[in-house]
Amino acid sequence: MARTSKSSRKSVQSKAEEICQYMLSTLEKGQRPILEAVRCNLDNSIYDPSVGYFVPGDKVVKSELNVSSVQKLARTVFMLEILLNNINTGATNTKRELYYMAKGLVKSDPSLKPIDFDGQPESDSVIEFITDMLEVYREELNCFADDRGGQSYSQNLIVTETMNDGEKATIDLSKLGTAPFQPKNQPTALKLKAKGKIDFCLIVESQGTANTLVTRGFTKRNNCILMGAKGVPSNGVRGWCKLIQDQLKIPMYFFGDLDAYTMQNIFRTLKAGSAASLIRNKDFSAPDVKFLGILPEDIKEYDLNSYKVKEKDASEVRALKKARDVLSNDPFFKDKKNKKLAAILNFLVKNKIRCEQQALFSVNPKDPLMPEKIILDKIKNKVFI
Amino acid sequence: MANKITSSSTAEYFAKNLQQVGFSSPTKAVLTTLKEAVDNSLDACEDNMILPELSIQIERLGKGGSKNSDLIQIIIEDNGPGLSAENLPRVFGEYLASSKFGRGRCSRGQQGIGISAATTWAQLTHASGVRVKSKTASMKKAVEMYIDVDIKGNKGLVKKKETLEWDKKTGLQVEFKFDGRIQLNGDGGLLTYLEGTTLVNPHLTLKYKMPDKEWVEVERVSTEVPVVPPSVLPHPHTMKLGEFVTHAGLFGRTSLKIFLKTGFSRITDHSLKLLVKNGMKKAWLNKAMTQFDDKELKQIFAFLIDADLSSPSTKSVLTVGEDSLAKSIQRLGEVDFFSVVTRKPKICDFKPTVVEVALARFIDRGEEDKSVQLLRFANRVPLQFDKSSCAITRAIESVNWKSYGLKQSKNSIPQGPYIFAVSVTSPFIKFKNASKETIDASEELVDEIRLALQKAGQKLSRHIKKEAKAEDLERKIRHIEKFGPILVNGLVSMTKASQARKKRAEDGLSKILGIDTEVAIAELEVAEEKLKSLKVKQAEKLGES
Ligand SMILES: Nc1ncnc2c1ncn2[C@@H]1O[C@H](COP(=O)(O)OP(=O)(O)OP(=O)(O)O)[C@@H](O)[C@H]1O
Ligand SMILES: [Mg+2]
């Protein structure tokens, strides 16, 4: 039992208390409590084409109380108490800080010694089990990862942030010069407003390249939001993109390398979420984002520099190997809604080539606006997927 | 005594190439001298149905003549049949090299050069050969001689001869003084060699004294003298061309027909007809061996290889036996548990071969995180060097020991306080090189050794599983005591429950976890039961029941 229903809008506190009550009363009866958590892996990921992201299937991880699991359950209750205390006092923490808090509590109470964590991975896995069990976001437990990636530039965007103490701050991105706005890892606290009409949002894989475009005046010439993803999009980036998609309802484009890694790890995660965050994909993926490039046909069209995947480059070879696997197993690429994206992956597996986003800079290097022109050209002519 | 050719150049050859027969460094010189003498004593006792009693004394007399060496004295005494006065110079001062192919017996000595090489080494490094004292059953007094090798003439030179009283019925004592270095433990160590010898010779009583150490005595655990089956002739399919040519050279003017029929096993008149039918010239059969040139010998060899001959007999091999091995291994230390396996004789690469394995976990030797100690044997002679390419090592590395509960990183020797002893016995062991330290790793032989190891591993795992179950139970009990209270306290604090509820929950928890430990206890009992029946069998082997 003890699986809190998905639809219930109960507070985290009451869900947690419910579970503890259940465990205690089951123990009183001399029976074994069983905790269930959503199984967060690809096996249990269903791609729902109607919403465009991964939703959890009905497989669960069951932890029945026995000698082997008693340690895990004791740790779970211990960590739950720390987290609830944070929620009640409005304090937030990173996972690392929680690890140290747990260490501190154990130090101050010798009877807790047996559950001491031997390194952060141990406490992280307890926190993950709790989120999967309560079916809440880590952020709802006031536990935040650091804000990584998603630096944004715009002349037309105003963000209002509600801070933990309830106070509000308003940020006008046009006032930041060439400095970026760093989105918080807490999308629920942000409200977006467009100043005038915003035509599109461009998410560039490389934060550095996004920066270059801004410096060359991209956001001055275009009514847009320009963002750097910085590799595999963090929760912060994914939540931020989802906010833009939902609150501003503007076309969104992703521009990155043409290679297997970008397609299956970066773009897919941005668009449909990940298996590890199954229960949060609803708010942490932006299914409307289009793949602007680099597309295979762009190589010919713009005579871009591409090269063969080097047999010796282990990470590239690994990415290709994974691509083959992904094509036959990943529900996202198997769905016919994404067959054009799967076709690109197929093309990469077959031809074993790569083309990097920065290859745009090889087209007429004397014209500093060339990359921008190509991007706008592609948007205008609808050359995206 | 086998003594078919005695060429005067033989002694010269070996005097120049002593490194080929084990005298390649001062450390190896000590070990090889010891080994040659001990092997000879054991062989001689076995051939005369005597239970061997050996005494070995090694001393450091001072600095050696060459750099980095000491002057070493080794005295080895046996209760064997002894040698007559006229045989002494021949055995100790002459290279008796017969067929290079060995004798076709599972005896330790194979070549008739071992002990003379030791004399040569002593002579080269300390200017005097060997002192021997000997008494045979027909002698009233013992005879003592100082013998050198006459290197030019390949003859034993008697320097001094005396008769004297010896309160022994029969026996032989040798003393060598030479440049050497003493290494006791590890690969190539003297004690390692003696331990190995002890293990595979359960019928041996051994007394030894190492420099600066007390006398140690190891009693025999078997009173049966192993019977070494009579020699068998080589099977043509076991030979290489070179060996075949050498073998042929020993037969001089005999005809090919006689050579084939008397020089090999499994060649019959029928096989000769087959050779001719397959295209060999019929006239060759009556031609003398001396009249064939190399090219013709090569052709004959090719016909033999292609001929369909029956497999050699497996009667020529002997085993130590599971019972004796089980007892003998207890002599190496305090054994925690062990398993032994003696396979049935098998034909590997056309040679009758038998593999025996003893695996034992010790309480008083070895370490958890170090590789197990490996003891390799070929015809009951411990092998000490070049273990990495040996068939035995290869076979051990190819077994997945993890599945028997041992620690092992992939494709390597497992770890723990164990001795892994593997013995290969065959009248024709194929070594990788002249110094006879590594058994050639043919696929068939490695497979056969692997089978023996796997069987022994399965037996061993019953002990290991029991230990694991006991550990599991202990862990479970510890777990409950540690985590139970924390869990209940946490729940009570989260729910602000009453003390009464807390008490009930605690009781409930200990009930649940109590059931778990009961299950673990029951599992342990099953494992213990299984082990007990194995132990009964082992006790029977040890003669304790
Ligand atoms: N201690 C001994 N007691 C009785 N006979 C002995 C003793 N030592 C040697 N012999 C005899 O002398 C022979 C020659 O010994 P030697 O060590 O030279 O050759 P081997 O043992 O036959 O072969 P290998 O060269 O392989 O050692 C032996 O075969 C044996 O008949
Ligand atoms: Mg010998």
Side-chain angles (χ1 to χ4, degrees):
Chain A
M1 100 100 246
R3 177 147 181 224
T4 50
S5 81
K6 234 178 278 183
S7 53
S8 74
R9 277 274 142 241
K10 275 182 240 155
S11 72
V12 176
Q13 287 100 316
S14 59
K15 282 184 191 172
E17 215 199 285
E18 203 175 90
I19 284 182
C20 291
Q21 282 294 0
Y22 155 75
M23 285 176 81
L24 191 65
S25 56
T26 313
L27 278 179
E28 283 179 88
K29 284 179 237 150
Q31 291 167 354
R32 295 172 197 268
I34 302 171
L35 295 186
E36 284 183 5
V38 179
R39 187 187 201 97
C40 286
N41 62 17
L42 204 57
D43 279 354
N44 195 35
S45 303
I46 297 170
Y47 177 71
D48 180 349
S50 68
V51 290
Y53 52 83
F54 288 117
V55 296
D58 38 47
K59 290 189 187 131
V60 292
V61 185
K62 278 191 194 183
S63 292
E64 189 186 49
L65 178 65
N66 56 37
V67 227
S68 311
S69 67
V70 63
Q71 177 185 32
K72 178 181 170 187
L73 295 187
R75 281 177 162 180
T76 302
V77 173
F78 171 70
M79 186 56 88
L80 202 53
E81 203 169 357
I82 298 178
L83 290 169
L84 280 196
N85 200 38
N86 267 3
I87 294 175
N88 290 336
T89 60
T92 67
N93 287 105
T94 63
K95 285 198 221 170
R96 184 135 195 94
E97 289 157 4
L98 285 169
Y99 163 68
Y100 277 109
M101 284 168 72
K103 297 282 286 182
L105 284 171
V106 168
K107 219 194 224 162
S108 67
D109 181 354
S111 75
L112 292 173
K113 186 92 194 53
I115 54 167
D116 198 7
F117 292 109
D118 203 10
Q120 197 193 328
E122 287 190 3
S123 63
D124 285 0
S125 84
V126 171
I127 295 169
E128 270 150 35
F129 179 70
I130 290 174
T131 57
D132 296 347
M133 175 177 74
L134 299 178
E135 289 181 33
V136 295
Y137 304 157
R138 196 170 69 214
E139 291 75 11
E140 290 178 76
L141 296 172
N142 284 12
C143 173
F144 294 93
D146 57 349
D147 307 315
R148 185 181 63 80
Q151 294 186 348
S152 301
Y153 310 87
S154 178
Q155 294 296 315
N156 316 77
L157 182 63
I158 292 168
V159 180
T160 309
E161 180 189 351
T162 310
M163 288 172 286
N164 278 345
D165 55 12
E167 224 174 283
K168 287 188 178 168
T170 306
I171 306 115
D172 181 345
L173 270 64
S174 69
K175 302 272 159 65
L176 298 176
T178 53
F181 169 75
Q182 175 66 57
K184 298 300 291 177
N185 218 333
Q186 205 175 359
T188 40
L190 302 179
K191 203 115 201 89
L192 310 185
K193 214 177 97 205
K195 208 160 66 166
K197 184 172 167 351
I198 303 181
D199 294 328
F200 62 88
C201 169
L202 178 68
I203 303 143
V204 183
E205 179 181 339
S206 153
Q207 208 159 254
T209 299
N211 199 297
T212 305
L213 292 175
V214 168
T215 324
R216 291 183 182 182
F218 190 97
T219 46
K220 284 209 181 124
R221 284 184 291 274
N222 303 289
N223 293 329
C224 70
I225 301 170
L226 178 63
M227 186 193 311
K230 197 166 187 192
V232 177
S234 65
N235 278 334
V237 175
R238 286 150 62 190
W240 173 237
C241 287
K242 170 76 172 174
L243 271 192
I244 295 173
Q245 175 189 306
D246 285 3
Q247 293 189 16
L248 300 178
K249 302 195 167 55
I250 53 173
M252 299 176 73
Y253 307 103
F254 172 87
F255 185 78
D257 294 344
L258 174 66
D259 70 8
Y261 184 78
T262 296
M263 180 54 73
Q264 71 209 3
N265 291 43
I266 299 178
F267 183 65
R268 191 276 247 142
T269 306
L270 180 65
K271 197 171 163 76
S274 69
S277 58
L278 269 188
I279 50 173
R280 309 184 281 183
N281 287 337
K282 177 171 180 288
D283 292 312
F284 290 88
S285 64
D288 291 351
V289 179
K290 301 279 186 286
F291 191 75
L292 184 67
I294 294 176
L295 297 172
E297 57 255 48
D298 296 339
I299 299 179
K300 247 213 192 112
E301 176 73 31
Y302 303 103
D303 189 21
L304 300 177
N305 265 35
S306 67
Y307 61 85
K308 279 259 169 218
V309 168
K310 292 174 228 78
E311 295 292 338
K312 265 181 275 166
D313 189 323
S315 66
E316 286 182 9
V317 172
R318 215 181 308 127
L320 274 185
K321 205 171 149 233
K322 186 183 163 194
R324 265 176 233 124
D325 185 51
V326 156
L327 280 170
S328 50
N329 292 322
D330 190 311
F332 175 83
F333 287 102
K334 275 165 67 185
D335 196 280
K336 63 175 183 297
K337 190 174 172 188
N338 299 314
K339 68 169 187 279
K340 285 186 180 155
L341 294 171
I344 294 184
L345 211 46
N346 246 322
F347 165 86
L348 291 171
V349 169
K350 240 208 217 114
N351 297 290
K352 295 200 177 61
I353 61 160
R354 288 189 74 209
C355 180
E356 290 186 315
Q357 55 200 304
Q358 290 85 356
L360 289 196
F361 291 80
S362 69
V363 186
N364 194 1
K366 285 195 190 123
D367 179 359
L369 296 186
M370 202 59 208
E372 179 179 333
K373 281 180 190 159
I374 295 176
I375 288 170
L376 296 177
D377 199 37
K378 281 168 64 65
I379 293 177
K380 197 175 102 217
N381 296 323
K382 298 196 165 28
V383 186
F384 50 73
I385 293 171
Chain B
M1 236 171 299
N3 185 15
K4 281 186 177 150
I5 45 160
T6 315
S7 107
S8 60
S9 60
T10 318
E12 267 185 308
Y13 174 81
F14 283 111
K16 279 198 199 111
N17 296 290
L18 279 177
Q19 79 283 352
Q20 282 187 6
V21 284
F23 293 88
S24 54
S25 73
T27 330
K28 272 189 156 186
V30 182
L31 178 69
T32 305
T33 304
L34 173 69
K35 189 170 154 175
E36 291 302 338
V38 169
D39 285 355
N40 282 355
S41 294
L42 292 173
D43 274 343
C45 287
E46 253 159 43
D47 285 347
N48 290 275
M49 292 309 285
I50 295 168
L51 280 170
E53 223 172 287
L54 261 60
S55 138
I56 296 162
Q57 192 177 357
I58 302 183
E59 293 294 347
R60 217 182 268 117
L61 299 181
K63 272 208 140 332
S66 50
K67 237 174 84 185
N68 276 330
S69 75
D70 297 313
L71 177 59
I72 305 293
Q73 179 194 49
I74 294 193
I75 303 173
I76 295 138
E77 184 178 317
D78 66 41
N79 61 337
L83 281 163
S84 67
E86 74 251 32
N87 270 332
L88 287 174
R90 299 192 61 208
V91 167
F92 291 91
E94 235 177 80
Y95 287 88
L96 303 168
S98 52
S99 162
K100 260 199 181 158
F101 199 65
R103 299 205 178 119
R105 283 183 80 203
C106 298
S107 53
R108 300 168 183 82
Q110 289 286 338
Q111 291 166 317
I113 52 176
I115 203 70
S116 311
T119 309
T120 313
W121 177 262
Q123 201 173 318
L124 293 179
T125 63
H126 192 61
S128 79
V130 62
R131 178 183 67 79
V132 214
K133 185 157 78 171
S134 166
K135 193 172 166 189
T136 63
S138 58
M139 286 154 69
K140 278 225 168 73
K141 281 186 170 185
V143 57
E144 187 178 68
M145 286 183 190
Y146 288 81
I147 300 167
D148 275 8
V149 179
D150 170 4
I151 291 172
K152 282 254 135 47
N154 189 20
K155 268 185 112 98
L157 278 181
V158 180
K159 294 299 225 5
K160 204 167 127 193
K161 182 178 169 181
E162 249 183 297
T163 48
L164 65 171
E165 294 291 335
W166 198 15
D167 58 353
K168 225 181 172 129
K169 259 209 198 127
T170 64
L172 193 120
Q173 185 195 64
V174 289
E175 177 192 307
F176 296 93
K177 285 184 197 160
F178 57 91
D179 282 359
R181 261 193 99 79
I182 288 180
Q183 181 200 327
L184 293 180
N185 298 302
D187 290 346
L190 301 174
L191 292 176
T192 312
Y193 165 76
L194 288 180
E195 271 192 336
T197 305
T198 310
L199 176 66
V200 290
N201 293 286
H203 62 308
L204 164 68
T205 291
L206 177 67
K207 270 192 272 185
Y208 63 86
K209 189 191 174 313
M210 295 293 155
D212 315 316
K213 298 260 160 66
E214 297 293 309
W215 277 94
V216 177
E217 182 163 356
V218 188
E219 286 284 344
R220 68 172 55 89
V221 288
S222 156
T223 50
E224 256 169 74
V225 183
V227 177
V228 184
S231 60
V232 291
L233 292 164
H235 192 283
H237 290 175
T238 65
M239 281 193 159
K240 286 205 168 136
L241 177 62
E243 292 164 341
F244 176 77
V245 174
T246 320
H247 194 51
L250 299 174
F251 282 73
R253 302 191 48 80
T254 14
S255 67
L256 175 63
K257 188 164 135 191
I258 304 295
F259 164 61
L260 290 179
K261 275 175 69 178
T262 59
F264 296 94
S265 69
R266 301 300 200 216
I267 297 194
T268 57
D269 287 327
H270 175 75
S271 342
L272 294 180
K273 269 186 210 143
L274 225 91
L275 293 178
V276 175
K277 202 177 134 206
N278 288 349
M280 195 179 81
K281 283 189 194 130
K282 196 170 177 189
W284 280 8
L285 285 175
N286 293 314
K287 208 165 134 181
M289 288 314 294
T290 42
Q291 288 177 334
F292 289 103
D293 61 23
D294 279 0
K295 213 181 113 203
E296 287 165 338
L297 284 175
K298 199 169 160 186
Q299 284 175 19
I300 298 170
F301 182 69
F303 281 119
L304 280 173
I305 292 298
D306 289 341
D308 192 6
L309 304 172
S310 48
S311 297
S313 132
T314 56
K315 285 202 193 95
S316 56
V317 289
L318 88 165
T319 60
V320 180
E322 293 186 358
D323 298 3
S324 296
L325 266 180
K327 285 182 207 156
S328 201
I329 200 149
Q330 319 283 332
R331 298 197 283 177
L332 303 191
E334 202 181 329
V335 172
D336 189 0
F337 49 79
F338 69 95
S339 78
V340 287
V341 166
T342 295
R343 297 269 302 165
K344 290 211 175 66
K346 231 199 118 175
I347 302 295
C348 286
D349 311 310
F350 291 97
K351 300 163 196 169
T353 307
V354 75
V355 176
E356 293 181 274
V357 168
L359 311 178
R361 186 185 165 95
F362 286 83
I363 293 166
D364 57 350
R365 56 186 295 167
E367 275 172 56
E368 246 5 287
D369 300 322
K370 293 246 170 79
S371 294
V372 304
Q373 189 186 352
L374 173 56
L375 299 178
R376 297 174 289 133
F377 302 89
N379 282 341
R380 295 180 292 155
V381 176
L383 307 181
Q384 303 248 52
F385 300 97
D386 309 324
K387 73 173 164 215
S388 63
S389 51
C390 181
I392 292 174
T393 315
R394 291 276 167 84
I396 291 180
E397 290 169 345
S398 73
V399 171
N400 178 9
W401 294 100
K402 277 194 188 152
S403 67
Y404 306 127
L406 274 93
K407 268 195 268 176
Q408 179 192 28
S409 28
K410 212 169 180 218
N411 296 331
S412 51
I413 305 220
Q415 295 170 334
Y418 291 87
I419 283 185
F420 275 33
V422 180
S423 155
V424 176
T425 317
S426 167
F428 307 102
I429 286 196
K430 192 164 160 219
F431 291 99
K432 269 202 119 147
N433 39 33
S435 59
K436 300 198 288 185
E437 289 295 347
T438 33
I439 303 175
D440 188 68
S442 83
E443 211 171 296
E444 265 180 47
L445 182 59
V446 171
D447 283 348
E448 175 63 13
I449 300 172
R450 186 186 306 117
L451 284 175
L453 286 166
Q454 284 169 339
K455 214 172 145 213
Q458 282 160 15
K459 287 195 201 170
L460 203 65
S461 71
R462 289 197 212 154
H463 295 271
I464 297 171
K465 282 203 181 115
K466 186 232 129 183
E467 303 233 316
K469 288 265 191 300
E471 219 169 80
D472 186 48
L473 175 62
E474 216 185 290
R475 203 196 68 231
K476 283 186 170 163
I477 292 171
R478 256 188 289 127
H479 250 66
I480 295 166
E481 286 167 357
K482 268 165 52 183
F483 300 115
I486 298 175
L487 175 64
V488 174
N489 283 344
L491 290 173
V492 167
S493 143
M494 290 278 286
T495 55
K496 304 188 179 62
S498 65
Q499 284 301 308
R501 285 191 74 187
K502 181 178 172 185
K503 177 85 187 44
R504 275 201 302 275
E506 278 168 353
D507 292 346
L509 182 73
S510 41
K511 185 183 138 204
I512 298 164
L513 300 184
I515 295 171
D516 288 353
T517 45
E518 273 163 29
V519 172
I521 290 170
E523 279 174 1
L524 178 61
E525 275 165 3
V526 171
E528 270 173 345
E529 206 48 53
K530 273 194 189 156
L531 182 61
K532 226 197 245 158
S533 65
L534 178 79
K535 277 191 169 158
V536 169
K537 274 190 217 150
Q538 288 187 339
E540 279 164 11
K541 280 192 183 130
L542 293 171
E544 282 166 4
S545 61

